[in-house]
Amino acid sequence: MALLLPAPQAAAISLPVLCAMDIAGLRAWWGRWSRREMLAILPGGLLGILLGSPAFGAMSDRMTKLMVGVIALAFLARTLWLSRRGAPPEAAAPSRWRGGFWSTVSGFTSTIAHAGGPPLAVYLYPLRLERARLAATTVVFFGVVNYVKLVPYALLGQLSPGNLLTSLVLLPLAPSACGWASGCRGASATRCSTS
């Protein structure tokens, strides 16, 4: 979408769709997150939104796209470098400082362009949390972040009637509630979310 529209407008159109998808994710993963990690990352995510909000309104379209590209390439380079090291490293120890830093970066990049996944992964992946706990922690973090981002997006005038109407039109194309698109409608949330 950002190829056809200015990046801030594309982000604004995507946000309500992401929020709708978050409802399904929160429902499927509720109660399975790591409390310790949420306490480490949620404050940073909120701080990142606070720092990203003025930047969202001030960054040019070109700068936003450049930032997303640099994040993607840096995350890819890091992943390739780690995979060439041979044996996987030991699980990292949890750290409120590292969690706070990377979640602040995540909240910032998520506010600018919904690109908060790689920075959060830099902190969470090395912890080697159990898969379901990692997924639940990530889903809850971004669910909170996305709903909080509605406030600055609205204050910056990005949730205009035209953008909201476009979001509404795109909503049926988004994966929603526990695998509706994959035919997992009648199964339990646990079975759908772990397959």
Side-chain angles (χ1 to χ4, degrees), residues 22 25 27 34 70 75-76 108 139 142 147 174-175 188:
D22 286 335
R27 185 172 160 244
S34 166
V70 168
F75 188 71
L76 175 64
F108 181 88
V139 165
F142 284 112
Y147 275 91
S188 73

Side-chain angles (χ1 to χ4, degrees), residues 76-85:
L76 175 64
R78 179 185 179 277
T79 302
L80 292 173
W81 178 73
L82 289 175
S83 70
R84 292 185 178 256
R85 290 178 49 192

Side-chain angles (χ1 to χ4, degrees), residues 91-115:
S95 164
R96 282 191 181 230
W97 292 107
R98 279 195 324 270
F101 172 78
W102 286 111
S103 62
T104 299
V105 175
S106 177
F108 181 88
T109 57
S110 181
T111 301
I112 302 296
H114 307 308

